[in-house]
Amino acid sequence: MLGRANFVALVGGGRNPKYAPNKVIIWDDAKQKAVISLEFHSTVKAARLSRTRIVVVLTGHVHVYQFSSPPTRLHIFETYDNPGGLVAMSARTLVFPGRTPGHVQLCDLSSGNISIIPAHTSPLAAITISAQGDLVATASEKGTIIRLYAAQNCSLVTELRRGIDKATIYSLSISPSSHRLAVTSDKNTMHVFELPARGTPQSPSSRPSSAMSNGLVGGDNRRWSLLGKLPLLPKYFSSEWSAAQQMFDGGGRAVAGWVSEDAVVVCSIGGMNGQGEPRWEKFVLVEALGGIGVELLREGWRRYLDND
């Protein structure tokens, strides 16, 4: 959906799709009709809209169009195999997988120029870009490390550790003012990380972090920070741990999105064979007991599909 405008990008899916899965339909809700149709030779994996661009993601390519009627194709970019349709967009920058596993391409939407970030050595699982377009967050299929980069010069800002065991990262979401990052995974857990000042690279051990055990900023994680300053120790000890974490109850893939700087919603699609229901859950960040750090509290939830 294009912000709060009346345009919605639709792609067919499910058992009885209304539209073909190789088409993108731009629906004008004010006119209650389709106003643009784009057809491709393979299944569409994702679509994004801005006020000036239509972006369509296929398994191995990203197509960029001028948002006009009829639309004009501006660019085609080749990517590594991208079955999940990974893509993120700010007003000026488009982010998508590179042609090498683990690499990220940043496209300047005005000029079409491309910058490359060699973010990981294994294929990407999730990417996002901040609303201001200044920060890019990435995670690989290993799911243990999230890396944060400055979009302006592709430099590493900090490295964040979700955990020590492998996980499938479902989503990454940067808060409206770029101060926090929310991460959801197949562990049915959301982690929230405090981010450094925008565009300011820093060592992961240069500020206090949260304890891995309870998700609060406290003494246990300061111990990791001190150990990270010692030579010859594994990189594990210097990684930045989350400021807070909380389990969510919805099943299946779950996507996080910020509604304010202190509130985030997790929307779950529901698991296979009844393993968890589709629901949205709202969490708020509050000061932890004792005034040290923050914690995540569930403020409300609702089931949004009736399967009966």
Side-chain angles (χ1 to χ4, degrees):
M1 185 173 181
L2 177 54
R4 296 184 178 180
N6 49 293
F7 294 108
V8 181
L10 304 175
V11 179
R15 286 173 292 187
N16 299 297
K18 180 177 178 62
Y19 302 111
N22 66 326
K23 286 185 176 182
V24 174
I25 306 298
I26 306 300
W27 178 269
D28 187 335
D29 202 51
K31 298 180 180 179
Q32 288 291 294
K33 67 177 184 178
V35 292
I36 294 174
S37 177
L38 296 169
E39 186 172 356
F40 302 88
H41 295 298
S42 61
T43 300
V44 174
K45 298 298 182 180
R48 296 290 185 271
L49 301 178
S50 76
R51 296 189 180 279
T52 60
R53 298 290 187 267
I54 301 172
V55 177
V56 180
V57 181
L58 309 180
T59 300
H61 295 87
V62 173
H63 296 248
V64 181
Y65 293 83
Q66 179 75 31
F67 199 149
S68 57
S69 186
T72 302
R73 188 165 61 191
L74 302 176
H75 311 288
I76 302 178
F77 299 107
E78 185 179 350
T79 70
Y80 185 71
D81 189 34
N82 185 18
L86 298 181
V87 66
M89 183 166 58
S90 66
R92 298 182 179 180
T93 306
L94 181 68
V95 183
F96 50 93
R99 291 181 289 179
T100 301
H103 287 199
V104 178
Q105 299 187 68
L106 279 68
C107 172
D108 185 318
L109 288 172
S110 60
S111 66
N113 292 338
I114 291 288
S115 300
I116 304 293
I117 298 176
H120 303 271
T121 56
S122 55
L124 297 169
I127 55 176
T128 193
I129 188 169
S130 62
Q132 294 85 356
D134 56 343
L135 293 174
V136 174
T138 68
S140 76
E141 290 182 349
K142 292 181 179 179
T144 55
I145 291 292
I146 296 96
R147 294 193 172 103
L148 191 72
Y149 294 90
Q152 184 176 12
N153 56 16
C154 299
S155 62
L156 180 65
V157 176
T158 192
E159 188 174 89
L160 311 169
R161 180 168 289 276
R162 181 210 56 82
I164 58 176
D165 56 333
K166 185 175 180 179
T168 299
I169 301 297
Y170 286 153
S171 73
L172 304 171
S173 181
I174 299 174
S175 66
S177 62
S178 299
H179 290 158
R180 290 174 172 140
L181 172 72
V183 180
T184 58
S185 73
D186 65 347
K187 302 296 184 182
N188 270 59
T189 303
M190 176 172 62
H191 293 258
V192 172
F193 297 86
E194 300 284 355
L195 301 181
R198 287 183 300 196
T200 303
Q202 72 176 69
S203 165
S205 60
S206 62
R207 61 189 174 88
S209 308
S210 65
M212 178 179 56
S213 59
N214 58 14
L216 304 181
V217 177
D220 287 347
N221 203 57
R222 293 194 187 101
R223 183 175 60 209
W224 299 123
S225 297
L226 290 173
L227 288 171
K229 297 177 181 179
L230 299 177
L232 305 179
L233 284 180
K235 200 172 184 179
Y236 162 83
F237 291 105
S238 63
S239 299
E240 187 75 16
W241 293 87
S242 59
Q245 64 184 69
Q246 184 61 267
M247 300 287 291
F248 53 85
D249 293 333
R253 296 190 67 88
V255 177
W258 293 88
V259 294
S260 70
E261 198 61 33
D262 300 310
V264 59
V265 169
V266 176
C267 186
S268 308
I269 66 172
M272 300 293 290
N273 301 320
Q275 298 299 312
E277 62 182 9
R279 61 164 66 185
W280 65 260
E281 299 166 73
K282 183 180 179 182
F283 298 88
V284 292
L285 280 161
V286 299
E287 186 177 284
L289 293 176
I292 301 176
V294 295
E295 60 181 322
L296 273 170
L297 299 179
R298 183 185 288 104
E299 190 176 71
W301 67 274
R302 177 171 295 177
R303 181 178 178 178
Y304 64 85
L305 288 178
D306 186 356
N307 296 325
D308 297 334

